[in-house]
């Protein structure tokens, strides 16, 4: 079961590094990371490009112009391929078994 982690990003590279580390340390590893950058004006997007070139699970998209968080989160959903989707803010991090717990609950209550 593929889990889509959806991240609306705007100038959060410093915080996103901890967020990303918490994702790769998950006990459940069948996931994709959908990141939509909302036209960051610092070097965040370039750093995300470098990271996405090293991690094939990252699907990176950039808005043509700054559209705001609602539009950007909707774009994340449109790009997702997962059976289960969850939003994660770039300045947050996950406990190691977060994805596993959500997937288990979903499997028990698919309806």
């Amino acid at each position: 079961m593929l889990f889509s982690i959806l991240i609306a990003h705007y100038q959060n590279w410093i915080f996103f590094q901890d967020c990303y580390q918490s994702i790769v340390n998950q006990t459940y590893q069948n996931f994709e990371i959908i990141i939509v950058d909302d036209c960051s004006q610092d070097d965040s997007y370039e750093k995300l490009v470098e990271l996405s070139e090293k991690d094939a699970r990252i699907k990176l998209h950039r808005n043509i112009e700054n559209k705001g968080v609602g539009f950007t989160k909707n774009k994340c959903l449109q790009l997702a391929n997962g059976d289960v989707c969850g939003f994660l803010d770039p300045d947050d991090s996950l406990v190691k078994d977060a994805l596993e717990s959500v997937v288990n609950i979903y499997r028990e209550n698919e309806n």
Side-chain angles (χ1 to χ4, degrees), residues 5 18-19 22-23 26 88 92-99:
I5 302 168
D18 289 335
C19 176
S22 78
I23 294 169
Q26 288 297 298
L88 179 62
D92 290 337
S93 57
L94 299 170
V95 295
K96 284 189 171 209
D97 65 345
L99 299 183

Side-chain angles (χ1 to χ4, degrees), residues 26-85:
Q26 288 297 298
T27 55
Y28 188 84
Q29 287 288 305
N30 188 17
F31 60 80
E32 64 178 359
I33 306 167
I34 307 296
I35 303 172
V36 178
D37 182 79
D38 197 19
C39 284
S40 294
Q41 299 299 305
D42 59 4
D43 62 351
S44 293
Y45 180 71
E46 290 74 22
K47 291 180 178 180
L48 289 170
V49 169
E50 289 177 24
L51 184 61
S52 69
E53 290 171 351
K54 297 175 186 173
D55 189 339
R57 298 171 295 189
I58 297 174
K59 295 180 181 172
L60 180 61
H61 178 81
R62 188 175 200 192
N63 292 338
I64 295 171
E65 61 184 1
N66 184 275
K67 293 286 202 173
V69 70
F71 179 93
T72 304
K73 285 188 173 190
N74 187 38
K75 188 69 176 178
C76 288
L77 276 171
Q78 291 173 13
L79 297 169
N81 295 305
D83 304 295
V84 179
C85 297

